[in-house]
């Protein structure tokens, strides 16, 4: 699907292009003479990565060798083509657990990636591991405008090779490339205590002028913020020509905001974006956009897998442990929306594995730490499957905390359920009731531990993972607690638990109960004018109007609808 935008990007002036001409004769790029004597320089952008540590299956269309093979088929002139990555590449997958992102760096180098920025999952194994990956990178440049050292404001990992921005000369035009990371990274990944994420708009307001002062005629931002945030940046920061990438991973195609071209192509290996810029003495005059679907290109036999990438990927795939470790007689629920709003049998099973291993009184495991978004059928369980479900390389840890701290932790866990944040608490050794309609911080209705109500003054041992213990996912009440045990890897503990228990039959047991104002009866009483325990159509219409006016929650409206339909 192709789009062409012929409206001139007016803020690009002839002076900038003429300034670049002073650098000397063009050493690369496609240059075409125009009838008015000016020259048009073509620049092709192929984007983006956002592959979550996965190489893709060798026998399926959407894999890394076909992705770079598609890039190869679109590259008519390597000298005027940039292959761009937008982060969330090193983690999180079973391979990431094994190789901590090295498999992706090696594959990207084999595929001639040009530049890449950081996503939150690139920090999943901590900043030191990421620094190691950066230091090993020789074939492409890592860039970031807003990941900085807290004390000095210096760009993260500069000693290892990270740049605030990179520049490349294409046909006499200096192209600058930088990147941005979502501010949420400080909560959802292991950024480290000495690093920080500067607000992206503020960072780019500083860095874009620096790029221009360094001679950049065209400025490209590799974006790991959500598309609405990217639009806001385009509105507020002048001087940006192109923004590619989307933390929200939506497939939206291209658009133009404040003369800035934006492109959102999702994540993984499903789609590839192609932007062709035409630049002349008046700046960027036109761009053409194509959204490619990898599977369609493979089906049409339009591409050949990139041989170097394929060789690298095969080497790593062959090292994966696919040994069977047991079986399940029931489905295993790893569906994201369930893990982040309610009890699931896999959430309970993982929490039980932690409690069994550590012997803790209770366990809280963040639902976002359990991945894949899949409902697995009963059958064989392999080592690989568990590492796909638990890909972050987390370790177990036990803390000594008060009952009040446990309640505070649970409040944090249910505070952002509407947006499916990963902090939602799957538990073992306790049960709790929560009311989604209550104000944030007051949603936990009751907590029971070993059959007795939680005592805020009593000290308990709490099993969890190292990410949460360090304050990740908003669990800021846990750092500073006394550490009573440091356990083994979480995935390894679950693997051993399965081996001990096989065949497993995990179930939900009522550990997490969602209550609401409606379930207390008050809403039904309010709208049931006949007091007969049912709802009539006019009463339901009144409830719908109350919902529209913000006087009734979606939960209660849904329950009233259920009563009406019954």
């Amino acid at each position: 699907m192709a789009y062409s935008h012929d409206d001139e990007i007016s803020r690009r002036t002839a002076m900038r292009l003429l300034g670049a001409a002073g650098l000397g004769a063009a050493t690369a790029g496609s240059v075409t003479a125009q009838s008015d004597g000016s020259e048009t320089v073509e620049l092709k952008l192929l984007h983006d990565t956002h592959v979550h540590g996965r190489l893709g299956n060798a026998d399926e269309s959407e894999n890394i060798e076909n992705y770079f093979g598609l890039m190869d088929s679109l590259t008519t002139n390597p000298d005027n083509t940039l292959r761009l990555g937008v982060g969330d590449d090193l983690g999180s997958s079973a391979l990431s657990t094994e190789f901590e992102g090295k498999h992706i760096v090696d594959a990207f180098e084999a595929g001639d990636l040009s530049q890449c920025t950081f996503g939150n999952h690139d920090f999943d194994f901590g900043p030191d591991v990421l620094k190691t990956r950066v230091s090993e990178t020789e074939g492409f440049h890592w860039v970031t405008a807003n990941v900085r050292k807290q004390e000095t404001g210096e760009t993260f990992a500069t000693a290892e090779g990270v740049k605030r921005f990179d520049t490349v000369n294409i046909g006499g035009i200096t192209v600058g490339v930088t990147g941005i990371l979502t501010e949420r990274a400080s909560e959802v990944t292991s950024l480290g205590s000495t690093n920080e994420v500067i607000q992206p708009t503020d960072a780019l307001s500083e860095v874009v002028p620096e790029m221009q002062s360094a001679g950049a005629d065209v400025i490209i931002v590799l974006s790991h913020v959500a598309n609405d945030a990217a639009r806001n940046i385009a509105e507020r920061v002048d001087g940006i020509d192109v923004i590619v990438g989307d933390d929200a991973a939506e497939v939206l195609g291209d658009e133009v905001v404040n003369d800035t071209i934006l492109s959102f192509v999702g994540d993984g290996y499903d789609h590839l974006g192609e932007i062709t810029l035409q630049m002349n003495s008046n700046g960027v005059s036109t761009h053409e956009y194509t959204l490619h679907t990898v599977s369609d290109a493979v089906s049409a036999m339009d591409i050949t897998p990139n041989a170097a990438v394929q060789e690298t990927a095969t080497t790593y795939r062959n090292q994966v442990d696919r040994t069977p470790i047991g079986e399940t007689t029931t489905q295993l629920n790893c569906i994201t929306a369930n893990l982040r709003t309610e009890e699931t049998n896999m959430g309970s099973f993982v929490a039980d594995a932690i409690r069994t291993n550590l012997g803790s009184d209770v366990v809280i495991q963040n639902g976002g730490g359990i991945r894949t978004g899949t409902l697995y059928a009963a059958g064989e369980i392999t080592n690989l499957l568990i590492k796909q479900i638990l890909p972050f390389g987390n370790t177990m840890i036990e803390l000594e905390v008060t009952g009040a701290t446990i309640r505070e932790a649970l409040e944090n866990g249910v505070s952002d359920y509407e947006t499916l944040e990963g902090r939602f608490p799957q538990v073992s050794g306790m049960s709790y009731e929560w009311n989604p309609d209550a104000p944030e911080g007051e949603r936990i209705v009751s907590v029971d531990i070993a059959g007795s109500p939680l005592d805020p003054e009593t000290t308990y041992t709490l099993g969890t993972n190292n990410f949460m213990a360090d304050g990740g996912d908003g669990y800021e009440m846990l750092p500073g607690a006394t550490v009573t045990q440091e356990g083994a890897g979480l995935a390894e503990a679950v693997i051993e638990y399965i081996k001990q228990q096989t065949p497993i039959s995990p179930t939900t047991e009522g550990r997490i109960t969602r209550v609401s104002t409606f379930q207390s009866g008050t809403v039904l009483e309010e709208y049931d004018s006949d007091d007969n325990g049912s709802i009539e159509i006019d009463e339901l219409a009144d409830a719908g109007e109350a919902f529209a006016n913000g006087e009734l929650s979606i939960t209660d409206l849904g329950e009233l609808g259920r009563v009406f339909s019954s």
Side-chain angles (χ1 to χ4, degrees):
M1 141 169 101
Y3 308 86
S4 180
H5 296 267
D6 295 325
D7 44 316
E8 181 180 338
I9 299 181
S10 58
R11 59 186 164 77
R12 298 291 176 258
T13 65
M15 288 302 294
R16 292 179 60 192
L17 188 57
L18 292 171
L23 296 172
T27 58
S30 175
V31 182
T32 304
Q34 302 296 296
S35 59
D36 62 359
S38 64
E39 293 182 334
T40 294
V41 178
E42 182 177 285
L43 169 61
K44 182 175 290 189
L45 309 176
L46 301 176
H47 70 95
D48 44 58
T49 51
H50 201 162
V51 301
H52 292 286
R54 301 180 180 94
L55 298 173
N57 294 326
D59 56 354
E60 296 180 359
S61 298
E62 293 90 350
N63 60 38
I64 195 166
E65 51 263 50
N66 285 333
Y67 200 73
F68 278 94
L70 178 55
M71 288 190 185
D72 294 341
S73 73
L74 299 172
T75 303
T76 55
N77 181 356
D79 290 335
N80 77 332
T81 303
L82 296 180
R83 301 182 176 195
L84 305 173
V86 299
D88 266 11
D89 293 315
L90 307 188
S92 53
S93 70
L95 284 167
S96 300
T97 302
E98 293 288 330
F99 304 113
E100 296 183 330
K102 182 168 171 49
H103 61 303
I104 295 296
V105 171
D106 289 351
F108 282 1
E109 290 192 316
D112 294 325
L113 195 74
S114 304
Q115 290 92 8
C116 196
T117 194
F118 301 121
N120 45 286
H121 286 300
D122 298 315
F123 286 89
D124 281 347
F125 302 98
D128 291 338
V129 170
L130 181 52
K131 287 179 180 180
T132 299
R133 295 290 85 83
V134 170
S135 69
E136 295 169 346
T137 303
E138 297 179 353
F140 62 92
H141 297 291
W142 292 95
V143 293
T144 181
N146 69 329
V147 184
R148 311 272 183 91
K149 292 183 179 179
Q150 283 183 349
E151 290 189 4
T152 65
E154 180 184 358
T155 300
F156 167 76
T158 52
E160 288 75 21
V162 177
K163 298 180 177 182
R164 190 163 293 193
F165 59 87
D166 186 32
T167 58
V168 58
N169 185 295
I170 295 182
I173 304 298
T174 300
V175 178
V177 183
T178 189
I180 50 173
L181 173 62
T182 173
E183 287 182 280
R184 294 175 60 251
S186 59
E187 284 192 3
V188 301
T189 193
S190 302
L191 200 65
S193 59
T194 62
N195 303 308
E196 63 180 345
V197 178
I198 305 299
Q199 203 281 332
T201 300
D202 294 342
L204 287 172
S205 295
E206 171 190 346
V207 173
V208 167
E210 291 178 3
M211 298 170 76
Q212 292 170 333
S213 295
D217 303 295
V218 173
I219 292 176
I220 300 165
V221 175
L222 311 179
S223 171
H224 206 88
V225 302
N227 53 75
D228 55 347
R231 293 185 190 94
N232 182 58
I233 288 168
E235 286 280 8
R236 296 177 59 189
V237 183
D238 290 332
I240 301 172
D241 292 276
V242 182
I243 299 176
V244 298
D246 182 11
D247 183 30
E250 295 187 81
V251 182
L252 302 174
D254 72 323
E255 54 193 81
V256 177
V257 176
N258 188 27
D259 293 339
T260 299
I261 302 160
L262 299 99
S263 175
F264 310 114
V265 301
D267 62 357
Y269 300 113
D270 295 329
H271 301 286
L272 176 72
E274 177 187 12
I275 303 173
T276 302
L277 304 177
Q278 299 294 338
M279 303 170 291
N280 58 29
S281 58
N282 295 314
V284 177
S285 57
T286 67
H287 88 274
E288 184 175 304
Y289 177 84
T290 306
L291 177 65
H292 298 275
T293 301
V294 176
S295 60
D296 289 349
V298 172
S299 297
M301 295 185 291
D302 289 340
I303 64 173
T304 300
N306 182 294
V309 174
Q310 187 173 49
E311 180 180 0
T312 301
T314 300
T315 298
Y316 281 105
R317 288 183 185 122
N318 288 342
Q319 297 180 59
V320 173
D321 185 357
R322 293 178 171 83
T323 305
I325 58 173
E327 62 179 297
T328 175
T329 64
T330 62
Q331 294 177 317
L332 301 179
N333 187 355
C334 297
I335 296 173
T336 301
N338 297 155
L339 282 161
R340 301 183 182 205
T341 57
E342 62 188 77
E343 178 187 1
T344 77
N345 67 342
M346 196 59 187
S348 293
F349 187 82
V350 170
D352 286 348
I354 297 173
R355 191 159 68 99
T356 298
N357 187 284
L358 297 177
S360 308
D361 295 327
V362 295
V363 166
I364 301 177
Q365 162 69 32
N366 58 325
I370 302 171
R371 308 298 276 199
T372 74
T374 302
L375 181 64
Y376 292 98
E380 182 180 82
I381 305 172
T382 65
N383 184 294
L384 173 62
L385 177 62
I386 298 306
K387 289 188 176 179
Q388 288 172 331
I389 292 171
L390 299 168
F392 295 112
N394 292 134
T395 57
M396 298 178 295
I397 191 167
E398 184 182 75
L399 309 173
E400 187 175 79
V401 298
T402 64
T405 299
I406 290 175
R407 190 181 190 96
E408 185 181 359
L410 294 174
E411 286 285 4
N412 171 70
V414 300
S415 65
D416 247 346
Y417 80 96
E418 303 96 330
T419 56
L420 299 182
E421 288 293 321
R423 64 186 65 188
F424 190 84
Q426 301 289 327
V427 298
S428 179
M430 66 172 152
S431 61
Y432 67 90
E433 293 183 331
W434 68 292
N435 183 351
D437 301 325
E440 186 176 321
E442 301 176 17
R443 290 176 175 167
I444 298 300
V445 177
S446 64
V447 183
D448 285 343
I449 295 178
S452 299
L454 176 75
D455 182 352
E457 303 298 327
T458 297
T459 298
Y460 301 90
T461 53
L462 169 66
T464 188
N465 61 65
N466 62 309
F467 171 65
M468 294 172 60
D470 288 340
D473 269 349
Y475 285 91
E476 298 175 357
M477 69 298 300
L478 299 183
T482 300
V483 176
T484 53
Q485 288 189 71
E486 293 186 9
L490 176 55
E492 288 73 21
V494 172
I495 288 169
E496 288 304 312
Y497 192 53
I498 291 170
K499 289 178 178 179
Q500 295 166 10
Q501 302 288 326
T502 194
I504 65 171
S505 305
T507 62
T508 54
E509 304 171 348
R511 299 179 186 184
I512 303 172
T513 303
R514 178 172 173 155
V515 301
S516 70
T517 307
F518 176 84
Q519 289 170 310
S520 69
T522 57
V523 172
L524 180 57
E525 291 170 4
E526 179 179 350
Y527 287 95
D528 181 14
S529 60
D530 296 329
D531 296 326
N532 58 5
S534 65
I535 293 292
E536 303 299 327
I537 185 65
D538 57 337
E539 296 163 341
L540 186 62
D542 290 341
E545 183 177 349
F547 169 73
N549 294 332
E551 300 166 357
L552 187 68
S553 75
I554 185 63
T555 302
D556 288 341
L557 181 62
E559 289 294 330
L560 289 169
R562 181 185 62 78
V563 172
F564 171 76
S565 64
S566 63

